[in-house]
Amino acid sequence: MTDVKGMLIAGEWRSGGRSSPNVNPSDTNEIIGHYAQGDADDMRDAIEAACAAQPRWGETTPQARHDILAQAGNEILNRSDELGELLAREEGKTRREAVAETRRAGQIFLYFAGEALRISGEKLASLRPGVEVDVTREPVGVVGIITPWNYPMAIPAWKVAPALCYGNAVVMKPAELVPGSAWMLADILQRAGLPDGVFNLVMGAGSIVGAAMLEDPRIDAISFTGSQATGARVAAACAKHMRRVQLEMGGKNPLVVLDDADIDQAIDCAIDGAFFSTGQRCTASSRLIVTESVHSRFVEGCLERMRGLKVGHALDNDTTIGPVVDQQQLANNLRYIETARGEGGSIRGGGERVECGRPGFYMTPALVTDTSPQMTINREEVFGPVASVMRVRDYEEALYVANDTQFGLCAGICTTSLKYASHFRRSVRAGMVMVNLPTAGVDYHVPFGGTKASSMGPREQGRHAAEFYTVLKTAYVEP
Ligand code: ADP
């Protein structure tokens, strides 16, 4: 009989009625494991367990919550090689990237372990004599967490750790493609001493268990990262139930390269931002906006660097670009490249499916030059190792083009001019701005999130996470 890794509901592992194989995108002959696939009843049971467990969890001491989060964080750090390897096998990013992501998840748990000790309020004098006013933060209640496949450890960590830190109970639904990392996280949290029902894991299809979460009136808040289409459903369901919502959706992040940039540094930023993690990052530098006089040096330099990138199995030591996550994403990427070609772009440096000795979803990174802002490649998020280059006259046009998008997650500029760097920081419409740095690669102790169609609701990460995971209470007291 196949060993099925179960869901965690009310402190019990449950295998559910169905299971599905977790396939390695570097080698589709390898099945990493079989994971339970829940249904709407499993989701309802998990929500019931969370509702039952939350009040007591919300009343635990900061020290108790600190200790459990720290225990989980330390275990993740101590096992980062092993957990990173599993992550690389199920998602396809390189071992180095996967171990770094796992370490990040551990650090996030330790950060919120500390935050549990620092939850504070305000005390003010009332307008009325003799009355005292204080403002405190309380848990929201039961938080639903829906996560994507591209950061199977870090994104769950940056949602689950603050949720638990501030006294909420959690029901998490991970992406279908990466149940392994989610299962590991659940196992670690359970063994760290979380009371039954405080953290529940329900695996399965978005259209079934995800939809059941959205429709359940007992969920007090939902934090979601994923596509715009699903984000819109989440927002609509949250409006219907009058519950708070936090959405992180895509990006079409510009990296502006000006005449006065250090070109080698700009090329480093572009290659890292566009292609590492196989370009499967919502902060990927997918639009490279380059002024005329450095355009050809920049493009030639990028192509030269791309020739040195090694596409291959995520666990091979010399691999710099792992496979695409699955067949459907690979087909999407290749279709976007064809569309770009059809609309007049020149495909440089690759953009083709390749064989790497094992059956996997491999493609070479692509740079698409001669593109204009109206082309599909510059309007829609590809979510693969594909970047486009737009040639502009000067800084003013670069800024205009950078802002000419529905998205607003992150924006970068490479320049040695303080004047342009400062102006760009103020004027670009994005939640995060990078100067002489890749658009991808953020710290965990500061806010993460975007503007426009990229995000909705309060920011994630750092102490600002409290804005989503707590509600304020204002008390007036006449002693
Ligand atoms: P992607 O295209 O990157 O897979 P999705 O938005 O489809 O992005 O998936 C992000 C997360 O949302 C996944 O965990 C997925 O299962 C979940 N999801 C997909 N459809 C729904 C839905 N109808 N209701 C709730 N969650 C969903």
Side-chain angles (χ1 to χ4, degrees):
M1 226 185 87
T2 321
D3 175 31
V4 172
K5 292 259 192 282
M7 299 170 279
L8 182 63
I9 299 174
E12 306 268 326
W13 293 104
R14 183 189 287 190
S15 28
R18 290 177 48 244
S19 70
S20 84
N22 186 358
V23 177
N24 183 343
S26 295
D27 181 350
T28 55
N29 287 333
E30 192 199 345
I31 304 298
I32 297 158
H34 292 265
Y35 289 82
Q37 292 279 298
D39 59 21
D41 285 335
D42 296 314
M43 178 52 77
R44 283 192 279 272
D45 291 349
I47 295 170
E48 186 175 319
C51 290
Q54 193 280 322
R56 285 186 68 183
W57 176 246
E59 287 167 9
T60 50
T61 62
Q63 187 70 53
R65 295 199 299 281
H66 166 278
D67 291 351
I68 291 172
L69 293 174
Q71 170 90 14
N74 283 322
E75 180 169 343
I76 294 169
L77 286 175
N78 291 336
R79 293 173 63 197
S80 58
D81 287 343
E82 171 206 348
L83 297 171
E85 181 170 315
L86 171 71
L87 196 168
R89 283 166 67 211
E90 73 174 351
E91 197 269 352
K93 66 183 62 175
T94 64
R95 185 195 295 272
R96 195 180 53 79
E97 291 167 337
V99 170
E101 177 183 336
T102 305
R103 292 191 61 75
R104 170 58 61 99
Q107 289 156 346
I108 289 168
F109 271 94
L110 293 185
Y111 175 85
F112 282 105
E115 283 300 281
L117 304 173
R118 286 189 285 268
I119 300 170
S120 61
E122 297 168 46
K123 193 164 189 72
L124 297 91
S126 168
L127 305 179
R128 285 165 272 173
V131 173
E132 290 172 2
V133 183
D134 63 40
V135 183
T136 50
R137 288 192 180 273
E138 298 190 344
V140 181
V142 173
V143 178
I145 289 178
I146 301 178
T147 52
W149 49 260
N150 65 326
Y151 282 92
M153 264 286 171
I155 294 180
W158 84 50
K159 295 180 190 292
V160 172
L164 298 176
C165 161
Y166 298 112
N168 302 286
V170 170
V171 179
M172 179 168 118
K173 195 228 103 43
E176 291 89 322
L177 291 173
V178 291
S181 299
W183 189 92
M184 284 292 189
L185 182 61
D187 177 52
I188 289 169
L189 285 168
Q190 161 93 338
R191 284 184 298 92
L194 266 190
D196 292 350
V198 172
F199 176 83
N200 303 274
L201 174 70
V202 185
M203 282 103 76
S207 56
I208 300 171
V209 290
M213 179 194 284
L214 301 192
E215 287 316 318
D216 199 304
R218 296 169 295 176
I219 293 269
D220 298 299
I222 295 186
S223 179
F224 165 85
T225 300
S227 64
Q228 282 181 298
T230 310
R233 283 173 196 262
V234 176
C238 289
K240 179 172 150 203
H241 293 288
M242 297 289 183
R243 68 162 80 101
R244 64 173 62 187
V245 61
Q246 178 180 59
L247 307 177
E248 293 297 346
M249 297 164 289
K252 196 73 210 176
N253 310 289
L255 178 72
V256 169
V257 180
L258 297 185
D259 289 357
D260 62 13
D262 172 333
I263 282 294
D264 289 336
Q265 185 183 48
I267 292 166
D268 284 348
C269 289
I271 297 293
D272 176 325
F275 302 131
F276 288 170
S277 296
T278 320
Q280 298 174 151
R281 305 193 273 196
C282 45
T283 49
S285 312
S286 47
R287 293 185 299 141
L288 307 172
I289 302 168
V290 187
T291 48
E292 258 159 14
S293 65
V294 286
H295 180 271
S296 59
R297 262 174 73 211
F298 175 81
V299 168
E300 290 311 318
C302 284
L303 293 172
E304 173 66 32
R305 288 287 308 279
M306 287 164 70
R307 282 190 279 277
L309 298 175
K310 170 87 171 57
V311 177
H313 193 295
L315 298 181
D316 288 350
N317 285 335
D318 57 349
T319 296
T320 44
I321 308 277
V324 171
V325 73
D326 71 353
Q327 177 61 45
Q328 191 190 332
Q329 186 65 47
L330 177 64
N332 281 352
N333 297 348
L334 297 174
R335 203 178 51 243
Y336 271 114
I337 289 171
E338 273 325 298
T339 304
R341 198 194 310 272
E343 292 179 6
S346 311
I347 314 304
R348 315 279 297 273
E352 286 157 355
R353 182 156 197 176
V354 283
E355 297 296 326
C356 289
R358 277 157 293 200
F361 307 117
Y362 298 106
M363 68 174 282
T364 45
L367 197 65
V368 188
T369 58
D370 306 306
T371 74
S372 64
Q374 298 316 316
M375 287 167 57
T376 309
I377 194 76
N378 286 319
R379 305 224 73 84
E380 296 179 14
E381 184 180 45
V382 177
F383 222 64
V386 183
S388 56
V389 183
M390 283 178 278
R391 186 197 299 252
V392 291
R393 269 187 321 278
D394 52 18
Y395 169 73
E396 282 70 27
E397 188 182 358
L399 175 64
Y400 180 84
V401 170
N403 280 333
D404 183 12
T405 171
Q406 59 168 322
F407 295 106
L409 189 56
C410 192
I413 188 166
C414 291
T415 178
T416 50
S417 154
L418 181 60
K419 179 178 124 187
Y420 290 133
S422 306
H423 190 269
F424 188 79
R425 277 175 58 182
R426 288 194 305 274
S427 313
V428 76
R429 295 191 59 207
M432 297 175 290
V433 185
M434 305 286 181
V435 177
N436 296 322
L437 289 165
T439 54
V442 296
D443 291 357
Y444 61 83
H445 65 310
V446 287
F448 176 95
T451 57
K452 300 200 274 184
S454 289
S455 301
M456 190 174 139
R459 291 286 185 260
E460 305 203 69
Q461 306 203 52
R463 65 187 172 79
H464 295 266
E467 286 162 29
F468 180 72
Y469 291 103
T470 63
V471 284
L472 291 173
K473 180 176 277 175
T474 312
Y476 296 79
V477 179
E478 173 150 345

